[in-house]
Each structure stands twice: as C-alpha cells, then as structure tokens.
Amino acid sequence: MSRADRTAPERARSPVYGYSYLPVRGDLIDRLAHAWQSRFTLSVSPAATMLAFADWAVHLANAPGKQAELVDKALRKSMRLLVHMASSGLDPDAPPCITPLPADRRFVDADWRAFPFSLYAQSFLLLQQWVHNATTDIPGIARENARIVPFVTRQMLDVLAPSNHPLTNPEVVRAAYANSGMNFVQGARNCLEDAMRLMTGRRPVGLDAFQVGRNVAVTAGQVVFRNELMELIQYAPATGTVHTEPVLIVPAWIMKYYILDLSPENSLVRFLVESGFTVFIISWRNPGTEFRDVGLDDYRRLGPMAALDAIAAICGGRLVHACGYCLGGTLLAVTAAAMARDDDQRLATVTLLAAQTDFTEAGELMLFINESQVAYLEDAMWDAGYLDIDQMAGAFQMLRSNDLIWSRIVRQYLLGERSPVNDLMAWNADGTRLPYRMHSEYMRHLLLDNDLAEGRYRVDGRPVAVTDIRTPIFAVATERDHVAPWRSVYKIHLLSDTAVSFVLTGGGHNAGIATGRNRPDGIFRRTERDADARYVDPDTWLATTPAEPGSWWTAWADWLARHSTNELPASSILGAPERGYPALCPAPGHYVLEP
C-alpha cells in the first residue's frame, strides 16, 4: 500500500466484541508530528542530521590516523596562536597567523587587527579551520553525510563568532562608546518593531516604499490570458518596429514574476521592450490549500504550453523566443524537450537563466535533499497542503547565514542601524507558496532521482530528453550562485546536441540576473559553441574565456536579434479580442497581488 493510500480512513471490526472502530493510524500521527516539528527545525529533518553525525562519529572513531592528524593540527594551531600573541606584544603591526576566506566579510574592520580583538578573531578563525578539518575527509563516510556534517557544524560555530557579540566586536564597542550605549537602546527598539511586524503579518521595515504597480512592476502592459494557475501579461511596445518573434518569459513559481520587472532601471522586461521585442511573461498564482493536488505537469500544461497557445493566436503563429528563469528554466527545458519529441516546432530559441537540467552538482541546496529529508518535508507540506515561503526562506538563509542572518543582527540590533532597502530586497520578501504535490514531484523526480538528465522524466506517459532540443540555447549562470552553481548550469553542454551560447556573469542567483543594464562594474564571460563542437570542461572554459565589461543583457538582446528573422510595425493593440484573447486588465494583473 502506498503512502498516499494509507491516508484514507479504514474501518475495522473487532473479532471479539463485534463493534466497528477506527484503528490507530500511525502514519497520520507521524505526519502531524513532523509537521509540528518542522516549525522549529526550518523544515530540516532532525533524523537526517542525527544520522549524518552518527556516520561521521563512527568513522572518525575508527580512523586513528585521522585522529592523530587532528591532534597534531590542534597543537600546531595553538603554537601559531601563541607565537602571534608574542609577536603582537612586540610589534602591533605583526601580520596575522591566519586570514579569513575571501568571502568572509566579518573581520574587515581595521580594529580587528588591534589587541585584544585580534586575539578573538585569530582564535576563532583557527578553531573554525580545525573544526573544518575534523569534519571533512573522513574515510568511509557516506557522500551526502560528508556534506551535511561540516555545514551544520559551521552553522553552530558561527553562533560563537566574536563578530556576533557586543563585547568582542570592535565596531559595536566603538559605537557604544561614541553613543553612550544608545545604540543598544535603538537596537532593542528595532528588535521590538521587527517582532511586532512579524506577529501582525506586516512587511519588514522599509519595504513599504516599494509597491507592486507603483514603483516596481510598472512596465506598461495588459493581462491577455488567465487560467487557474497563471496570468499571461503582454507588454506594450516602446519602439516603432518590433522583431517578428516575440519573447515568452517563464519565471520560477517559487517567486513572483516582477524580479524581472523591478524598478525601471533594473527591469529586464523594460530593457527587452525598449530593444524592440514583443514581450510576454507568466505571472504565477500564489497557491493555497485548494491547490494541494496540482502537479508539476499541471504547471507545464497550464503554464508555458497554455501561454504558447495564447501567443500563437495573438501573434499569428509566429515562432517564439522562450526564456525560463531558475525553476522556470527547468520547466522550460522539460517543455522544450517534450515539444521536440512531439515535433512541435513553435520555439525559435531557448534561454535558460540560472536554470539547472542536471542536479548531481546542485550545490549546498542538495544538503537538504535525501530520502529522509524529502519524506520529512512531504509531511511538513501535507498538513497545510503547500510549502510556505517562511519554511523555504529559513533554508535559503542558512546557506548564507553570515550575510543574511548574523550580519543583519549585528547591524540592526547591536549597532542600532537600519540597512538601506532596495527593490530586490522588497521583492525577496514577497514570496509565494508551493503546492504539496508539485513540490514533492519536483524534489523526488528532479532533485533526488535526477530523472530529467537521465532520460526518465515522463510527460504524457513517455520520457523526454534534453538532447532532443534542436533550437539554439542561450544559458546564463552567475559566479556566486548557491542555488544553481554555475558549473551545474554549465552541464547544458553535456545534455544538449544544439548550439549553446554560455554566459557567466558576476553576482548571485538573483542579483546576477536582475542586474541593471548600466552597471559600471559589470563584467561577464561568454562563448558560443556550435552543435558539432567538442566539449570543453568548465575549469578550462573559465581559464580561457576572457571577461568582457558591461551587462550580459546587451549580449542577450543582440543574440535574440541575430536569431530573429525581420521586423514588423509595432501595434498598440494588445491581445487579440477577435480570437478570444481580449485585454483583461492592466499589468501587473491580479495574481501578483495575492497575499
């Protein structure tokens, strides 16, 4: 009997007394218990964590050579610290005995090099390095546990970082002296205000300055199609002529679409419109409990496929430049592969923005993906019928806890300062929910089993293969992506048999994609591979591909223009009322405003 089948009540009859009763449903009790637990564990399975540490402890206990190595390292690090202390006493400018990793910004203040704060920082960094040595390279430990243990220990160790405590952080000490301790008073006010806003469901401080339809998501357009899962927005042209092939953008359903239509200077949609393209974008609905049984294929069928049908009617059957971002890119890859299998030739090109088609190297996100974790998360979603944004946000913040959690606590509650808010931060706080069935299928078929890359993912009962896609592909990855690491995105070269233009740009998963066109410090790398070209591994590619100044937006617009046939006079009429696609309401539509 399947897990889903066991949820139906079963009535039994007592052989002794003859009356009917409902037997104890252990699976329901387990699910309710796990759903309750998940509120306190950020939806991370405690069983998976404990099993990982048990695996680590058993193998470390049976590795006397590794133990001896750790003892030797501890003695050496202690000696290095003692020598540094003595050197600092004689010369205040003595070099440190250890330096932070390049991405660690906690100890950049100059006072961290002065006694006693240098002692705090050096001690912590040496301890952090030793703990990393103690939790990595343990012979025999399972691969997934080998990733979990150092990650969890790093999270616990970060709590002890001297930068997080008022008496050991020189910036906080300096602020307290300069303000007679009033920074702590203001920090307490900030903490209380944030707590009140959280309890009352209000947005964090500063985010009210950005309102959808007022100063973000303001590109002019109309909703021209709507179904139960999405609205299709068509944008008004900004040029006298437009390229023949329209652009369809498929955002991830984990986010609201306007990350691609932020403030006018940061709007990719506006940039495309001003570059002479007819642009359509899907605005996903924010699902509630009633969508619990909506599956991943429903998103394909009611999302990009329904949008392509509408665009064919509105634009007269012209080919379409399809673009997918993040999970929307993965969904687009599935859609394009199924269309290629079925000889549906409506796509002119496919663009994948920070989107993975192979999940074997999906970065730190895979820390939360194993059988124990997936089953636990399914139970957490089963109770409500969806995965809430708060549950997802906690996991993503843990991936960058120094930047997203601890630095914020120090800045706002110890220094008493409010960080400036921008449009990207406002969008990031405006999350969406994920239906139970869809997210379960996504985790199991794509993340856990990697069915798409290995040719097992089924659409309409038959497998699809990315290798069937023959339209040119433009793939974009970002250097500091914790969700879709660039080497994972690069695997599109292995999975496809078509021409691939690959771009690596700076920034992270969101900022690297939503970067403005006029960033003075923007750089990117790009190459174009023919369909019959030999494979180049990512490290060689990085070493041999020079960086170019500017924004990848311009390179993409030029690529789209080269793959377009000609230009047509722009029409001010949006939709096609005579074909059953009238303009329903102005952009940004209704679904994006749903809480």
Side-chain angles (χ1 to χ4, degrees):
M1 184 181 294
S2 69
R3 188 180 183 89
D5 293 336
R6 291 200 304 268
T7 61
E10 299 172 2
R11 187 171 295 276
R13 180 172 296 276
S14 168
V16 178
Y17 298 103
Y19 61 82
S20 297
Y21 67 96
L22 286 174
V24 174
R25 294 295 309 281
D27 59 327
L28 295 182
I29 296 173
D30 291 344
R31 285 189 159 189
L32 290 171
H34 295 162
W36 177 81
Q37 288 175 1
S38 67
R39 301 175 184 177
F40 307 99
T41 65
L42 300 177
S43 297
V44 176
S45 168
T49 305
M50 289 187 288
L51 285 171
F53 273 89
D55 190 6
W56 166 78
V58 168
H59 283 91
L60 180 60
N62 195 36
K66 180 69 173 181
Q67 295 174 32
E69 179 184 310
L70 291 174
V71 171
D72 178 66
K73 286 182 179 292
L75 293 174
R76 290 176 178 271
K77 292 181 189 301
S78 299
M79 185 60 65
R80 285 169 58 189
L81 183 61
L82 290 174
V83 170
H84 171 71
M85 291 174 58
S87 301
S88 298
L90 298 174
D91 180 10
D93 297 325
C97 61
I98 185 173
T99 57
L101 296 173
D104 190 346
R105 307 290 298 170
R106 290 174 293 183
F107 307 106
V108 297
D109 190 275
D111 285 345
W112 282 111
R113 293 186 287 275
F115 185 84
F117 303 108
S118 62
L119 176 60
Y120 305 150
Q122 297 291 288
S123 301
F124 174 78
L125 291 172
L126 287 169
L127 174 62
Q128 180 179 254
Q129 189 181 67
W130 184 87
V131 170
H132 177 76
N133 293 331
T135 54
T136 56
D137 298 325
I138 309 296
I141 187 172
R143 183 178 300 177
E144 62 183 35
N145 294 334
R147 296 193 301 262
I148 293 174
V149 172
F151 176 80
V152 174
T153 52
R154 187 171 72 243
Q155 302 301 315
M156 294 187 294
L157 193 61
D158 283 344
V159 178
L160 305 176
S163 56
N164 298 333
H165 301 278
L167 298 181
T168 55
N169 186 324
E171 293 181 82
V172 178
V173 172
R174 192 168 61 239
Y177 180 79
N179 298 287
S180 301
M182 292 303 294
N183 55 300
F184 297 122
V185 176
Q186 184 59 47
R189 291 174 179 166
N190 292 344
C191 184
L192 180 61
E193 182 179 18
D194 290 347
M196 292 297 294
R197 284 177 173 264
L198 180 64
M199 289 187 291
T200 57
R202 297 172 60 195
R203 303 178 76 193
V205 174
L207 299 187
D208 291 335
F210 296 92
Q211 297 291 331
V212 175
R214 191 184 72 184
N215 49 8
V216 293
V218 295
T219 305
Q222 293 281 334
V223 174
V224 295
F225 174 72
R226 179 187 295 125
N227 60 30
E228 61 268 34
L229 203 55
M230 67 90 172
E231 291 179 328
L232 182 66
I233 300 173
Q234 180 183 3
Y235 291 95
T239 54
T241 60
V242 294
H243 294 284
T244 302
E245 290 79 7
V247 176
L248 169 63
I249 301 177
V250 185
W253 52 87
I254 198 175
M255 57 181 70
K256 293 193 175 180
Y257 84 89
Y258 67 92
I259 184 174
L260 301 174
D261 188 25
L262 293 170
S263 304
E265 65 273 13
N266 290 331
S267 171
L268 180 58
V269 167
R270 181 180 291 267
F271 171 77
L272 288 173
V273 170
E274 292 176 350
S275 299
F277 291 95
T278 300
V279 179
F280 294 83
I281 196 169
I282 289 175
S283 174
W284 296 107
R285 193 168 194 173
N286 196 6
T289 303
E290 68 276 14
F291 288 85
R292 67 178 302 129
D293 292 323
V294 172
L296 188 56
D297 196 62
D298 294 318
Y299 272 79
R300 179 195 66 87
R301 181 174 51 85
L302 297 174
M305 292 305 295
L308 287 171
D309 292 339
I311 294 172
I314 294 170
C315 297
R318 287 177 269 166
L319 298 183
V320 176
H321 295 300
C323 169
Y325 177 28
C326 186
L327 300 184
T330 304
L331 181 65
L332 177 60
V334 171
T335 303
M339 293 174 68
R341 181 200 65 188
D342 299 336
D343 200 28
D344 186 338
Q345 300 180 14
R346 286 181 287 175
L347 299 183
T349 64
V350 171
T351 297
L352 305 176
L353 308 180
Q356 299 174 97
T357 49
D358 184 305
F359 291 88
T360 53
E361 293 181 287
E364 291 186 328
L365 182 64
M366 295 303 290
L367 288 165
F368 306 104
I369 303 299
N370 54 45
E371 184 62 41
S372 173
Q373 177 59 49
V374 170
Y376 186 79
L377 193 54
E378 285 176 336
D379 289 347
M381 294 187 295
W382 171 84
D383 183 39
Y386 55 79
L387 182 66
D388 191 70
I389 181 58
D390 292 334
Q391 295 170 291
M392 291 183 287
F396 283 116
Q397 286 180 343
M398 286 174 62
L399 297 179
R400 296 174 55 202
S401 59
N402 285 335
D403 296 331
L404 300 179
I405 298 177
W406 294 112
S407 64
R408 178 176 175 270
I409 290 175
V410 171
R411 183 63 52 190
Q412 302 201 44
Y413 304 151
L414 296 184
L415 294 175
E417 302 173 359
R418 285 294 192 187
S419 302
V421 178
N422 58 34
D423 52 2
L424 185 60
M425 295 170 64
W427 164 84
N428 194 51
D430 189 15
T432 58
R433 297 175 289 272
L434 303 179
Y436 163 68
R437 178 182 170 189
M438 182 282 300
H439 196 51
S440 176
E441 291 175 348
Y442 168 73
M443 289 189 299
R444 288 195 174 276
H445 293 301
L446 297 179
L447 291 179
L448 190 61
D449 296 334
N450 204 29
D451 284 347
L452 178 60
E454 298 179 14
R456 293 188 301 269
Y457 189 84
R458 292 178 174 268
V459 173
D460 294 331
R462 292 184 294 150
V464 297
V466 178
T467 53
D468 286 341
I469 301 174
R470 293 295 186 268
T471 57
I473 293 175
F474 190 94
V476 181
T478 63
E479 291 180 351
R480 297 189 298 277
D481 198 327
H482 293 264
V483 179
W486 79 265
R487 285 176 173 82
S488 180
V489 176
Y490 188 86
K491 288 189 174 184
I492 190 65
H493 290 89
L494 292 172
L495 295 179
S496 64
D497 286 333
T498 186
V500 175
S501 296
F502 185 79
V503 169
L504 178 63
T505 186
H509 186 70
N510 296 322
I513 299 299
T515 180
R517 75 185 87 172
N518 297 319
R519 283 187 57 180
D521 58 342
I523 61 169
F524 64 95
R525 305 171 191 267
R526 63 171 169 171
T527 54
E528 297 192 10
R529 185 203 73 174
D530 294 332
D532 57 353
R534 291 193 174 120
Y535 173 71
V536 178
D537 68 271
D539 292 328
T540 301
W541 181 91
L542 182 64
T544 57
T545 305
E548 302 179 34
S551 170
W552 67 267
W553 288 11
T554 303
W556 183 40
D558 292 342
W559 183 85
L560 290 175
R562 283 192 283 116
H563 288 84
S564 299
T565 51
N566 49 40
E567 295 186 356
L568 300 171
S571 173
S572 60
I573 299 176
L574 302 183
E578 70 282 2
R579 300 187 187 97
Y581 291 93
L584 302 178
C585 66
H590 298 316
Y591 284 174
V592 73
L593 301 176
E594 292 181 343

